[in-house]
C-alpha cells in the first residue's frame, strides 16, 4: 500500500546488505555501515512517543490492505520474541485517504477490546488469503461476529470517541514521521525506516542501539 516506489530502498545492497543478519549483540557496531537518507531518514522534528522513560519506542506503520505488510508480519512476530525489555512496539494503522478509515478504526477497536493478539493476524489473512472485502463498517462487524466476538460490543467500541481519537492521533503520527508507504518503522521519534522484510528490522536494531548509546 505504497504511495511511492521504495523498491530501490533497503533492497539495493551496499551498506545495508552488511546488516541483513544483524543481531542485537552487534547492532551498535554496525550503525556506521548504514547510509542516512537511504537506509533510514532522520526526522527534522521529533515525533511524539508514548514509551516510558528508559524505553525505546519502535512504531510499525501498516495497512491491513497492504500485501507487503501481510508478508512483513511474520518478521515482526519473530522480532518481538527476541527484542530486549527496553524496546517497545507500537502498531499504527495508516490512513492515506478516507478509504483507510474503516480498517484503521478496526485495529483500534480490537486494541480497546484486548483482541489484537487474537485477531490482528486473522484480519490480514481474511483480506489477503480469503479475499474478503472488509471495506465498510457493516462488512467488518459481520466478520467480527463470525470470529466469536460480540457484534454489539464491538460496534460500540468501533464508533466510540476514544477510537475516533486514536485514529486521529495515528494519522497525525504518520504525518509527523512523514510516512510515504507501508510497511515502515519509526524509532524513538527520531528515525524513519521505509521498506519491508528482515533487513528493515536489522536497521531498526542498529538505530535502537544508537539511541541507547547517546
Amino acid at each position: 500500500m505504497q504511495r511511492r516506489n521504495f523498491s530501490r530502498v533497503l533492497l539495493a545492497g551496499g551498506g545495508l546488505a552488511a546488516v541483513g543478519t544483524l543481531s542485537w549483540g552487534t547492532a551498535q557496531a554496525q550503525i556506521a555501515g548504514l547510509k542516512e537518507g537511504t537506509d533510514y531518514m532522520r526526522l527534522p522534528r521529533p515525533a511524539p512517543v508514548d514509551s516510558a522513560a528508559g524505553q525505546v519506542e519502535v512504531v510499525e506503520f501498516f495497512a491491513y490492505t497492504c500485501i507487503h505488510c501481510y508478508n512483513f508480519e511474520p518478521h515482526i512476530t519473530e522480532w518481538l520474541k527476541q527484542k530486549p525489555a527496553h524496546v517497545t512496539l507500537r502498531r499504527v494503522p495508516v490512513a492515506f485517504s478516507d478509504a483507510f478509515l474503516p480498517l484503521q478504526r478496526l485495529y483500534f477497536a480490537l486494541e480497546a477490546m484486548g483482541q489484537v493478539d487474537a485477531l490482528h493476524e486473522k484480519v490480514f489473512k481474511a483480506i489477503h488469503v480469503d479475499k474478503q472485502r472488509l471495506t465498510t463498517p457493516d462488512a467488518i462487524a459481520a466478520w467480527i461476529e463470525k470470529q466469536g466476538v460480540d457484534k454489539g460490543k464491538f460496534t460500540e467500541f468501533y464508533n466510540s470517541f476514544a477510537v475516533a481519537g486514536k485514529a486521529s492521533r495515528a494519522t497525525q503520527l504518520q504525518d509527523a514521521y512523514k510516512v510515504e508507504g507501508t510497511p515502515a518503522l519509526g524509532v524513538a521519534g527520531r528515525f524513519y525506516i521505509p521498506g519491508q522484510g528482515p533487513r528493515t528490522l536489522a536497521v531498526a536494531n542498529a538505530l535502537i542501539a544508537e539511541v541507547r548509546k547517546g
Side-chain angles (χ1 to χ4, degrees), residues 42-213:
R42 190 183 303 267
L43 300 185
R45 295 181 180 179
V49 296
D50 277 354
S51 58
Q55 296 286 305
V56 179
E57 180 181 80
V58 175
V59 181
E60 178 198 6
F61 294 100
F62 75 94
Y64 279 126
T65 51
C66 170
I67 185 62
H68 302 298
C69 297
Y70 171 62
N71 292 331
F72 188 55
E73 194 62 24
H75 299 301
I76 280 283
T77 299
E78 189 61 29
W79 179 84
L80 280 170
K81 296 176 183 177
Q82 302 175 24
K83 74 172 184 62
H86 64 259
V87 177
T88 59
L89 177 68
R90 178 182 177 189
R91 288 187 171 101
V92 173
V94 300
F96 295 141
S97 70
D98 288 348
F100 290 78
L101 294 178
L103 285 168
Q104 187 186 49
R105 280 197 173 216
L106 166 59
Y107 175 80
F108 287 118
L110 293 179
E111 185 179 68
M113 298 178 73
Q115 292 284 346
V116 170
D117 288 347
L119 295 179
H120 180 63
E121 292 185 13
K122 288 186 178 182
V123 178
F124 276 119
K125 182 177 181 293
I127 293 170
H128 296 287
V129 178
D130 301 334
K131 305 301 182 183
Q132 298 193 40
R133 293 181 58 81
L134 304 182
T135 57
T136 66
D138 287 345
I140 290 169
W143 181 82
I144 282 290
E145 188 173 33
K146 291 178 181 178
Q147 310 313 306
V149 177
D150 183 274
K151 182 178 178 180
K153 185 177 180 181
F154 169 80
T155 301
E156 183 178 342
F157 277 104
Y158 186 91
N159 293 324
S160 69
F161 287 112
V163 164
K166 284 190 173 185
S168 177
R169 288 191 294 275
T171 302
Q172 291 170 5
L173 189 64
Q174 85 182 33
D175 291 341
Y177 268 103
K178 302 183 182 301
V179 177
E180 296 196 6
T182 54
L185 299 179
V187 177
R190 294 165 51 184
F191 302 107
Y192 170 71
I193 309 169
Q196 57 184 312
R199 290 179 176 180
T200 306
L201 293 166
V203 176
N205 291 353
L207 293 174
I208 290 166
E210 185 73 3
V211 170
R212 290 279 288 179
K213 183 175 68 173

Side-chain angles (χ1 to χ4, degrees), residues 16-55:
L16 184 56
V19 298
T21 58
L22 186 62
S23 69
W24 288 103
T26 60
Q28 188 166 332
Q30 294 287 350
I31 186 67
L34 303 178
K35 287 187 177 181
E36 184 174 340
T38 302
D39 299 332
Y40 67 93
M41 290 74 173
R42 190 183 303 267
L43 300 185
R45 295 181 180 179
V49 296
D50 277 354
S51 58
Q55 296 286 305

